[in-house]
Amino acid sequence: MEEKRAKNEEKDKVEDGLLLAIHGAKIKFNAHLGEFKVLTDVPTTQGKLTGTIVEKQIPNFKFYDGFQMISLTEWQDFGTAKVQENYVLLKKSTLPGTGKMPGNIPPETGKIEFITSGQVNEPESVAAKGAPVPEQKYDEKCYCDRDFTEDDIKAIIKKLRETEKIKTTSLFYDENCTLSESDKTYKRLCEELNSMMKKHNINTCIRKIHFLAQSYHESSRYGTTLEYSSGKKYNPGNHSDAKAMEHTVEGDGPRYKGRGIIQLTWRKTQKKYFSYVFGKRAWTIKYQEN
């Protein structure tokens, strides 16, 4: 019996990785049960509309007890095949989000999961009419719980710059950037990003997107690690926050203006950062007077 149970469990895992999630699939969010509705006009699987990653709106999910989603993020563990240029959803796909019951009841966080795929008898293999069967291979478009490669970083930055019609492929190329030439490479940026993200649990696509978007903006599209302005606006008497941020003498503004790909500004902020990285003594000896 144990051997048979193990085989059945293994079979279920295989099916979850092969079965497409389609219109009418049964879903759950914590203890709330409901149905998945495909709202896009797409090719069908077993006569029903095929689910893809664009189906992530509140009307896509109807719960029997009146529970309703409030916000949704991005689908996880989706397939590698596409329907109308969008990746297909699988029975194993999940969608994190927040929802609540009607009335004065606190919201719940969790993730939408498929109980069934919506397919008749849930066959071991899928013959999707109008939709290719997803292959069982690593999804290169998902960055959850894996390191970036150097090519990943190049592709991401290239895409971002193309939207702004920036032609250069160089990193930290602006004249005011104080990085050494050996640190202005995609290899070094990739190493630092992977190391930092592991350390601080930036381990999902959504977290990584937020960090890359913020750092891309703050560093002038990965063009510099030093604020362009002189920093005089941060001198005491020139800024309302100067005293609170420990700027007490003329010159503190330029000395502690924005630095790094997140543009940390102010003496108090940089002191906390360098004390965290190098220790208090290193801050006192090396950075306080520079």
Side-chain angles (χ1 to χ4, degrees):
M1 286 295 294
E2 289 298 325
E3 184 179 349
K4 185 176 181 180
R5 186 179 295 111
K7 285 183 179 180
N8 287 335
E9 289 177 355
E10 187 62 31
K11 179 183 175 182
D12 288 343
K13 289 179 181 179
V14 172
E15 288 184 354
D16 287 351
L18 289 173
L19 292 171
L20 303 181
I22 62 178
H23 184 85
K26 304 302 181 185
I27 58 171
K28 68 174 183 176
F29 184 94
N30 297 337
H32 309 285
L33 303 178
E35 292 181 11
F36 172 57
K37 296 182 177 295
V38 178
L39 304 178
T40 308
D41 185 14
V42 293
T44 62
T45 301
Q46 293 192 356
K48 295 183 179 180
L49 296 173
T50 308
T52 68
I53 59 172
V54 299
E55 309 294 336
K56 55 179 181 178
Q57 308 302 318
I58 291 171
N60 288 123
F61 310 100
K62 180 182 178 181
F63 292 92
Y64 304 135
D65 59 359
F67 185 81
Q68 189 170 26
M69 300 308 301
I70 301 172
S71 63
L72 296 162
T73 57
E74 302 290 335
W75 282 103
Q76 299 176 357
D77 292 327
F78 45 84
T80 58
K82 289 184 177 181
V83 172
Q84 294 181 347
E85 299 305 313
N86 295 307
Y87 290 103
V88 296
L89 295 177
L90 307 175
K91 185 182 176 184
K92 68 176 182 178
S93 300
T94 59
L95 179 60
T98 303
K100 70 183 296 294
M101 291 291 291
N104 189 25
I105 298 175
E108 299 178 36
T109 59
K111 59 185 178 181
I112 293 172
E113 301 175 82
F114 289 107
I115 302 173
T116 69
S117 70
Q119 296 183 43
V120 178
N121 298 326
E122 298 200 346
E124 292 182 33
S125 60
V126 178
K129 181 181 178 182
V133 180
E135 298 177 18
Q136 292 303 288
K137 64 179 182 180
Y138 187 67
D139 181 12
E140 295 178 353
K141 296 297 182 183
C142 179
Y143 299 106
C144 292
D145 296 312
R146 76 172 178 93
D147 285 348
F148 285 117
T149 66
E150 190 175 335
D151 286 339
D152 288 336
I153 300 300
K154 286 180 180 178
I156 291 169
I157 294 176
K158 180 183 178 183
K159 189 67 175 178
L160 288 169
R161 287 179 175 175
E162 281 178 351
T163 62
E164 300 177 84
K165 298 183 180 180
I166 299 172
K167 294 183 178 180
T168 182
T169 58
S170 300
L171 292 175
F172 308 113
Y173 49 83
D174 286 333
E175 291 183 0
N176 77 329
C177 185
T178 58
L179 285 179
S180 65
E181 290 302 315
S182 62
D183 284 330
K184 296 180 180 180
T185 66
Y186 282 96
K187 182 175 183 295
R188 286 291 296 123
L189 178 60
C190 185
E191 290 172 350
E192 291 299 323
L193 285 173
N194 286 332
S195 175
M196 177 275 303
M197 288 181 175
K198 282 181 180 177
K199 187 172 184 179
H200 299 287
N201 293 320
I202 304 176
N203 52 14
T204 65
C205 284
I206 226 41
R207 292 179 181 180
K208 292 180 180 183
I209 288 167
H210 276 292
F211 182 86
L212 290 174
Q214 186 69 30
S215 61
Y216 180 79
H217 170 74
E218 296 286 354
S219 63
S220 186
R221 304 158 186 84
Y222 290 121
T224 188
T225 54
L226 184 65
E227 185 174 343
Y228 291 128
S229 72
S230 68
K232 290 181 180 179
K233 61 184 176 182
Y234 305 125
N235 275 331
N238 293 347
H239 199 291
S240 59
D241 292 330
K243 184 176 180 180
M245 302 308 292
E246 300 182 0
H247 285 199
T248 57
V249 299
E250 193 74 14
D252 276 350
R255 185 177 296 116
Y256 302 113
K257 67 181 183 178
R259 299 173 187 274
I261 64 171
I262 296 294
Q263 292 289 286
L264 291 181
T265 310
W266 304 108
R267 181 182 188 275
K268 186 175 182 179
T269 305
Q270 291 187 21
K271 178 181 178 181
K272 284 184 177 180
Y273 171 75
F274 285 115
S275 295
Y276 170 73
V277 174
F278 300 108
K280 285 187 177 181
R281 189 166 182 273
W283 157 260
T284 303
I285 294 173
K286 186 174 182 181
Y287 296 100
Q288 191 173 13
E289 302 304 326
N290 290 340

